[in-house]
Amino acid sequence: HVQLVESGGGSVQAGGSLRLSCAASGRSYSHDCMGWFRQAPGKEREGVAAIARGGDTTYADSVKGRFTISVDNADNTLYLQMNSLKLEDTAMYYCVAVRACSTVSLRSDTYYFWGQGTQVTVS
């Protein structure tokens, strides 16, 4: 059983920065792909950023140039550095992971494990 636990969310003013973390615990295997999704009230869930074991990354157009995804493979911790935050970045952010993936993806059906989420509020 794998658990993904997010942290680092909070309230920030527009233009500010936050860094989200996701710690993976449980079974001692590594994930080929990990990522971040978000969902704002009344909106559909969307993929924000994802990273593959080999280092390939992909980002939603709305966050390119502002968000950076990274992973510490030694301890299975995923990060999302969010800079120049905008009001529209307000959402619940979820960490996701899958043991095996053929290519890095922002499709939600790619991912098997989901965290409980951490709230990001930009005002």
Coordinates of all heavy atoms in Angstrom, one line a residue, residues 63-115:
V63 N 0.8 26.9 -16.8 CA 1.8 27.1 -15.7 C 3.3 27.1 -16.2 O 4.2 27.3 -15.5 CB 1.7 26.0 -14.6 CG1 0.3 26.0 -14.1 CG2 2.1 24.6 -15.2
K64 N 3.4 26.9 -17.6 CA 4.8 26.9 -18.1 C 5.5 28.2 -17.9 O 4.9 29.2 -18.0 CB 4.7 26.6 -19.6 CG 4.4 25.2 -20.0 CD 4.3 25.0 -21.6 CE 4.0 23.6 -21.9 NZ 3.9 23.5 -23.4
G65 N 6.8 28.0 -17.4 CA 7.6 29.2 -17.1 C 7.4 29.7 -15.7 O 8.2 30.5 -15.3
R66 N 6.4 29.2 -15.0 CA 6.1 29.6 -13.6 C 6.3 28.5 -12.6 O 6.8 28.7 -11.5 CB 4.7 30.2 -13.5 CG 4.4 31.4 -14.4 CD 3.1 32.0 -14.1 NE 2.0 31.1 -14.3 CZ 1.1 30.7 -13.4 NH1 1.2 31.2 -12.1 NH2 0.1 29.9 -13.6
F67 N 6.0 27.3 -13.0 CA 6.0 26.1 -12.1 C 7.2 25.2 -12.5 O 7.5 25.1 -13.7 CB 4.7 25.3 -12.1 CG 3.6 26.0 -11.5 CD1 3.6 27.4 -11.1 CD2 2.4 25.3 -11.3 CE1 2.5 28.0 -10.6 CE2 1.3 25.9 -10.7 CZ 1.3 27.2 -10.4
T68 N 7.8 24.6 -11.6 CA 8.9 23.6 -11.8 C 8.6 22.4 -11.0 O 8.5 22.5 -9.8 CB 10.3 24.2 -11.5 OG1 10.4 25.4 -12.3 CG2 11.3 23.2 -11.9
I69 N 8.6 21.2 -11.7 CA 8.4 20.0 -11.0 C 9.8 19.3 -10.8 O 10.6 19.4 -11.7 CB 7.4 19.1 -11.7 CG1 7.1 17.8 -10.8 CG2 8.0 18.6 -13.1 CD1 5.9 17.0 -11.4
S70 N 10.0 18.7 -9.7 CA 11.3 17.9 -9.5 C 11.0 16.8 -8.5 O 10.0 16.8 -7.8 CB 12.4 18.9 -9.0 OG 12.0 19.4 -7.7
V71 N 11.9 15.9 -8.5 CA 11.8 14.7 -7.7 C 13.1 14.3 -7.1 O 14.2 14.4 -7.8 CB 11.1 13.5 -8.4 CG1 12.0 13.0 -9.6 CG2 10.8 12.4 -7.5
D72 N 13.1 13.9 -5.8 CA 14.3 13.4 -5.2 C 14.1 11.9 -5.1 O 13.3 11.3 -4.3 CB 14.4 13.9 -3.7 CG 15.7 13.4 -3.0 OD1 16.2 12.4 -3.4 OD2 16.1 14.1 -2.1
N73 N 14.7 11.2 -6.1 CA 14.5 9.7 -6.2 C 15.0 8.9 -5.0 O 14.6 7.8 -4.7 CB 15.1 9.2 -7.5 CG 14.4 9.6 -8.7 OD1 13.2 9.5 -8.8 ND2 15.1 10.1 -9.7
A74 N 15.9 9.5 -4.3 CA 16.5 8.8 -3.1 C 15.5 8.6 -2.0 O 15.5 7.5 -1.4 CB 17.7 9.6 -2.6
D75 N 14.6 9.5 -1.9 CA 13.5 9.3 -0.8 C 12.1 9.5 -1.4 O 11.2 9.6 -0.6 CB 13.8 10.3 0.3 CG 13.7 11.7 -0.1 OD1 13.4 12.0 -1.3 OD2 13.9 12.6 0.8
N76 N 12.0 9.4 -2.7 CA 10.7 9.4 -3.3 C 9.8 10.6 -2.9 O 8.7 10.5 -2.6 CB 9.9 8.1 -2.9 CG 9.8 7.1 -4.1 OD1 10.2 7.4 -5.2 ND2 9.2 6.0 -3.8
T77 N 10.5 11.8 -2.9 CA 9.8 13.0 -2.6 C 9.6 13.8 -3.9 O 10.6 14.1 -4.6 CB 10.5 13.8 -1.5 OG1 10.6 13.0 -0.3 CG2 9.7 15.0 -1.2
L78 N 8.4 14.3 -4.1 CA 8.1 15.1 -5.3 C 7.9 16.5 -4.9 O 7.4 16.8 -3.8 CB 6.8 14.5 -6.0 CG 6.4 15.2 -7.2 CD1 7.3 14.9 -8.4 CD2 4.9 14.8 -7.5
Y79 N 8.3 17.4 -5.7 CA 8.2 18.9 -5.4 C 7.5 19.6 -6.5 O 7.6 19.2 -7.7 CB 9.6 19.5 -5.1 CG 10.3 18.9 -4.0 CD1 11.3 17.9 -4.2 CD2 10.1 19.2 -2.7 CE1 12.0 17.3 -3.2 CE2 10.8 18.6 -1.6 CZ 11.7 17.7 -1.9 OH 12.4 17.1 -0.9
L80 N 6.9 20.7 -6.2 CA 6.3 21.6 -7.2 C 6.7 23.0 -6.7 O 6.1 23.5 -5.8 CB 4.8 21.4 -7.4 CG 4.3 22.3 -8.5 CD1 4.8 21.8 -9.9 CD2 2.7 22.2 -8.5
Q81 N 7.6 23.7 -7.4 CA 7.9 25.0 -7.1 C 7.0 25.9 -7.9 O 7.0 25.8 -9.2 CB 9.4 25.3 -7.4 CG 9.8 26.8 -7.2 CD 9.7 27.2 -5.7 OE1 10.2 26.4 -4.8 NE2 9.2 28.3 -5.4
M82 N 6.2 26.8 -7.3 CA 5.3 27.6 -7.9 C 5.6 29.1 -7.7 O 5.6 29.5 -6.6 CB 3.9 27.3 -7.4 CG 3.5 25.9 -7.5 SD 1.7 25.6 -7.0 CE 1.8 26.0 -5.3
N83 N 6.0 29.7 -8.8 CA 6.4 31.1 -8.7 C 5.3 32.0 -9.5 O 4.6 31.4 -10.3 CB 7.7 31.3 -9.4 CG 8.8 30.6 -8.6 OD1 8.7 30.4 -7.4 ND2 9.8 30.1 -9.3
S84 N 5.4 33.3 -9.3 CA 4.5 34.2 -10.0 C 3.0 33.7 -9.9 O 2.3 33.7 -11.0 CB 4.9 34.4 -11.4 OG 6.3 34.8 -11.5
L85 N 2.6 33.3 -8.8 CA 1.3 32.8 -8.6 C 0.2 33.8 -9.0 O 0.3 35.0 -8.7 CB 1.1 32.3 -7.2 CG 1.8 30.9 -6.9 CD1 1.9 30.7 -5.4 CD2 1.0 29.8 -7.5
K86 N -0.9 33.2 -9.6 CA -2.0 34.0 -10.1 C -3.3 33.6 -9.3 O -3.3 32.5 -8.8 CB -2.2 33.8 -11.6 CG -1.0 34.2 -12.4 CD -1.3 33.9 -13.9 CE -0.1 34.2 -14.8 NZ -0.3 34.0 -16.2
L87 N -4.3 34.5 -9.4 CA -5.5 34.1 -8.7 C -6.1 32.8 -9.2 O -6.6 32.0 -8.5 CB -6.5 35.2 -9.0 CG -6.2 36.6 -8.4 CD1 -7.3 37.6 -8.8 CD2 -6.0 36.6 -6.9
E88 N -5.9 32.6 -10.5 CA -6.4 31.3 -11.1 C -5.7 30.1 -10.8 O -6.1 29.0 -11.1 CB -6.5 31.5 -12.7 CG -5.2 31.9 -13.3 CD -5.1 33.4 -13.6 OE1 -5.6 34.2 -12.7 OE2 -4.6 33.8 -14.6
D89 N -4.6 30.2 -10.0 CA -3.9 29.0 -9.5 C -4.5 28.5 -8.2 O -4.1 27.4 -7.7 CB -2.4 29.4 -9.2 CG -1.6 29.7 -10.5 OD1 -1.9 29.0 -11.5 OD2 -0.8 30.6 -10.5
T90 N -5.5 29.2 -7.7 CA -6.2 28.8 -6.5 C -6.9 27.5 -6.8 O -7.7 27.3 -7.7 CB -7.2 29.8 -6.0 OG1 -6.5 31.0 -5.6 CG2 -8.0 29.3 -4.8
A91 N -6.6 26.4 -6.0 CA -7.1 25.1 -6.2 C -6.6 24.2 -5.1 O -5.7 24.5 -4.3 CB -6.8 24.5 -7.5
M92 N -7.2 23.0 -5.0 CA -6.7 21.9 -4.3 C -5.7 21.2 -5.2 O -6.0 20.8 -6.3 CB -7.8 20.9 -3.8 CG -7.3 19.8 -2.9 SD -6.9 20.4 -1.3 CE -8.5 20.6 -0.6
Y93 N -4.5 21.0 -4.7 CA -3.4 20.3 -5.5 C -3.2 18.9 -5.0 O -3.0 18.7 -3.8 CB -2.1 21.1 -5.4 CG -2.1 22.4 -6.2 CD1 -2.9 23.5 -5.9 CD2 -1.4 22.5 -7.4 CE1 -3.0 24.6 -6.7 CE2 -1.4 23.6 -8.2 CZ -2.2 24.7 -7.8 OH -2.3 25.8 -8.6
Y94 N -3.2 18.0 -5.9 CA -3.0 16.6 -5.6 C -1.7 16.0 -6.2 O -1.4 16.2 -7.3 CB -4.2 15.8 -6.1 CG -5.5 16.2 -5.6 CD1 -6.3 17.2 -6.2 CD2 -6.0 15.6 -4.4 CE1 -7.5 17.6 -5.7 CE2 -7.3 16.0 -3.9 CZ -8.0 17.0 -4.5 OH -9.2 17.3 -4.0
C95 N -1.1 15.3 -5.4 CA 0.1 14.5 -5.8 C -0.3 13.2 -6.4 O -1.2 12.5 -5.8 CB 1.0 14.3 -4.6 SG 2.5 13.2 -4.9
V96 N 0.3 12.7 -7.5 CA -0.1 11.5 -8.1 C 1.1 10.7 -8.5 O 2.2 11.3 -8.6 CB -1.0 11.7 -9.4 CG1 -2.3 12.4 -9.0 CG2 -0.2 12.5 -10.4
A97 N 1.0 9.4 -8.6 CA 2.1 8.5 -8.9 C 1.6 7.2 -9.6 O 0.5 6.8 -9.4 CB 2.9 8.2 -7.7
V98 N 2.5 6.6 -10.3 CA 2.2 5.3 -10.9 C 3.5 4.6 -11.0 O 4.6 5.2 -11.2 CB 1.6 5.5 -12.3 CG1 2.5 6.1 -13.3 CG2 1.1 4.1 -12.8
R99 N 3.5 3.3 -10.8 CA 4.7 2.5 -10.7 C 5.4 2.4 -12.1 O 6.6 2.6 -12.2 CB 4.4 1.1 -10.2 CG 5.7 0.2 -10.1 CD 5.4 -1.1 -9.5 NE 6.6 -1.9 -9.3 CZ 6.6 -3.1 -8.8 NH1 5.5 -3.7 -8.5 NH2 7.7 -3.7 -8.7
A100 N 4.6 2.2 -13.1 CA 5.2 2.1 -14.5 C 4.4 3.0 -15.4 O 3.1 3.0 -15.4 CB 5.1 0.6 -14.9
C101 N 5.1 3.7 -16.3 CA 4.4 4.5 -17.3 C 5.3 4.5 -18.5 O 6.5 4.4 -18.4 CB 4.2 5.9 -16.8 SG 5.7 6.8 -16.5
S102 N 4.7 4.5 -19.7 CA 5.4 4.5 -20.9 C 5.9 5.9 -21.3 O 7.0 6.0 -22.0 CB 4.5 3.9 -22.1 OG 3.4 4.7 -22.2
T103 N 5.2 6.9 -20.9 CA 5.6 8.2 -21.2 C 5.0 9.2 -20.2 O 4.0 8.9 -19.6 CB 5.2 8.6 -22.6 OG1 5.7 9.9 -22.9 CG2 3.7 8.7 -22.7
V104 N 5.7 10.3 -19.9 CA 5.2 11.2 -18.9 C 3.9 11.8 -19.5 O 3.8 12.1 -20.7 CB 6.2 12.3 -18.6 CG1 6.5 13.2 -19.9 CG2 5.8 13.2 -17.5
S105 N 2.9 12.0 -18.6 CA 1.6 12.3 -19.1 C 0.8 13.2 -18.1 O 1.1 13.1 -16.9 CB 0.8 11.1 -19.3 OG -0.6 11.3 -19.6
L106 N -0.1 14.0 -18.6 CA -1.0 14.8 -17.7 C -2.4 14.2 -17.8 O -3.4 14.9 -17.4 CB -1.0 16.2 -18.1 CG 0.3 17.0 -17.9 CD1 0.2 18.5 -18.3 CD2 0.7 16.9 -16.4
R107 N -2.5 13.0 -18.3 CA -3.8 12.3 -18.3 C -4.1 11.7 -16.9 O -3.2 11.0 -16.3 CB -3.9 11.2 -19.3 CG -3.9 11.7 -20.7 CD -3.8 10.5 -21.7 NE -4.8 9.4 -21.3 CZ -5.9 9.2 -22.1 NH1 -6.1 10.0 -23.1 NH2 -6.8 8.3 -21.7
S108 N -5.2 12.0 -16.3 CA -5.5 11.5 -15.0 C -5.5 10.0 -14.9 O -5.2 9.4 -13.9 CB -6.8 12.1 -14.4 OG -7.9 11.7 -15.2
D109 N -5.9 9.3 -16.0 CA -6.0 7.9 -16.0 C -4.7 7.2 -16.0 O -4.6 6.0 -15.9 CB -7.0 7.4 -17.0 CG -6.6 7.8 -18.4 OD1 -5.5 8.4 -18.6 OD2 -7.3 7.5 -19.4
T110 N -3.6 8.0 -16.2 CA -2.3 7.4 -16.1 C -1.9 7.0 -14.7 O -1.1 6.0 -14.5 CB -1.3 8.4 -16.6 OG1 -1.5 8.7 -18.0 CG2 0.2 7.9 -16.5
Y111 N -2.5 7.6 -13.7 CA -2.0 7.6 -12.4 C -2.9 6.7 -11.5 O -4.1 6.8 -11.5 CB -1.8 8.9 -11.8 CG -0.8 9.7 -12.6 CD1 -1.2 10.6 -13.6 CD2 0.6 9.6 -12.4 CE1 -0.3 11.2 -14.4 CE2 1.5 10.2 -13.2 CZ 1.1 11.1 -14.2 OH 2.0 11.7 -15.0
Y112 N -2.2 5.9 -10.7 CA -2.9 4.9 -9.8 C -3.0 5.4 -8.4 O -4.1 5.2 -7.8 CB -2.2 3.6 -9.8 CG -2.9 2.5 -9.1 CD1 -4.0 1.8 -9.6 CD2 -2.5 2.1 -7.8 CE1 -4.7 0.8 -8.9 CE2 -3.2 1.1 -7.1 CZ -4.3 0.5 -7.7 OH -4.9 -0.5 -7.0
F113 N -2.0 6.1 -7.9 CA -2.0 6.6 -6.5 C -2.2 8.1 -6.5 O -1.6 8.8 -7.3 CB -0.6 6.2 -5.9 CG -0.3 4.8 -5.9 CD1 0.6 4.3 -6.7 CD2 -1.0 3.9 -5.0 CE1 1.0 2.9 -6.7 CE2 -0.7 2.6 -5.0 CZ 0.3 2.1 -5.8
W114 N -3.1 8.5 -5.6 CA -3.4 9.9 -5.4 C -3.3 10.3 -3.9 O -3.7 9.5 -3.1 CB -4.9 10.1 -5.9 CG -5.0 10.0 -7.4 CD1 -5.0 8.9 -8.1 CD2 -5.2 11.1 -8.3 NE1 -5.2 9.2 -9.4 CE2 -5.3 10.5 -9.6 CE3 -5.4 12.5 -8.2 CZ2 -5.5 11.3 -10.7 CZ3 -5.6 13.2 -9.3 CH2 -5.6 12.6 -10.6
G115 N -2.8 11.5 -3.7 CA -2.8 12.0 -2.3 C -4.1 12.6 -2.0 O -5.1 12.7 -2.8

